[in-house]
Each structure stands twice: as structure tokens, then as C-alpha cells.
Amino acid sequence: MRRDPSCIFCKIAAGRIASRKVFEDDELLAFHDIAPWAPVHFLIIPKQHIATMYDTGDEHAAMMGRMLALAPRLAHELGVVNGFRVVINTGPDGRQEVQHVHMHVMGGPRPWLRG
Ligand code: AMP
Ligand code: ZN
């Protein structure tokens, strides 16, 4: 498994930093965002270290597809039945703060704190 020892999401994927887990399998991990914008706000990440979406290619298409397919399923399991947003911030202009690909899934009743 490709990991970056200084990356916070790699540490979460390795279980070295605690998270509130929503889902886990061999390839993906989902956990609640530590600073939620919405009543439900979780992140879906690949367990392998991929810094940004710019670093993905055809070989990642199936995995990225699985991330997308998981979003509605996990949202529903968490009681989000009236809609949600999916966001992947990428690069400086995309305001990506953590350099490990992650998909935000935000939902729940309005109003939200942000977004
Ligand atoms: P981004 O701006 O897309 O890179 O967002 C990074 C997200 O990761 C932010 O929403 C943070 O609140 C969230 N985050 C940072 N550290 C942690 C952590 N240890 N556990 C859960 N979420 C985190
Ligand atoms: Zn990483």
C-alpha cells in the first residue's frame, strides 16, 4: 500500500490517528469530518496515498467510481434522505488543504454552517 508517513489521512487510514469511522474496506475508508459544514459531513478516501485528483488516471477510474457509488449509500445509512453535496477540492485554487484525495459528502436538514 502506497503511504506517505507525513500525511494525516494516511495516518488515519493506518489507524495511527483516531477517526469516527463510517465505512471501511480494503481500498476505501469513510469517516466523519472533524469540522463539519453540515449536520452530516463525512469524507471518503482511498487508503493508498494519492495527493490530488491531478495524480489520478485511468488506473484509478474504478476506485473513483466506487467512491462516488458509496456516497449515496453511506449518506442514506446516516439518515440523509433529502439530498446531499459531493465535493472534491483539488489544488490551491480548489482550496485543497489536505494533500490526500478525499471526497466530501455533506447533507442533512438546512440551514448548514457553510456550503
Ligand atoms: P480540504 O479543504 O478539501 O482539503 O478539506 C480537508 C478536510 O479535512 C476539512 O474539512 C477538515 O475539517 C478535515 N479534516 C482535517 N483533519 C481531520 C481529521 N483528523 N479528522 C477528520 N477530518 C479532518
Ligand atoms: Zn496520504
Side-chain angles (χ1 to χ4, degrees):
M1 177 82 61
R2 223 172 83 83
R3 290 224 158 102
D4 175 342
S6 66
C7 168
I8 186 167
F9 285 180
C10 282
K11 289 181 190 167
I12 287 176
R16 289 170 51 216
I17 290 183
S19 68
R20 285 174 58 219
K21 204 176 291 181
V22 174
F23 171 89
E24 179 170 22
D25 68 11
D26 287 348
E27 189 172 48
L28 303 177
L29 177 70
F31 53 96
H32 291 278
D33 196 292
I34 206 167
W37 288 22
V40 174
H41 182 172
F42 59 93
L43 306 174
I44 304 176
I45 68 167
K47 285 187 167 179
Q48 62 168 311
H49 183 77
I50 304 171
T52 85
M53 269 189 101
Y54 283 124
D55 303 300
T56 62
D58 282 349
E59 69 275 27
H60 301 106
M63 185 267 290
M64 302 291 288
R66 289 196 62 233
M67 287 170 70
L68 259 183
L70 255 183
R73 195 188 111 197
L74 298 181
H76 195 269
E77 282 175 16
L78 292 170
V80 175
V81 293
N82 199 42
F84 58 88
R85 283 188 173 177
V86 165
V87 174
I88 305 179
N89 296 326
T90 302
D93 286 351
R95 297 226 167 119
Q96 181 181 0
E97 282 171 12
V98 175
Q99 304 305 309
H100 179 130
V101 166
H102 52 281
M103 178 186 286
H104 294 259
V105 184
M106 292 163 281
R110 297 281 179 172
W112 295 359
L113 200 60
R114 295 166 76 182

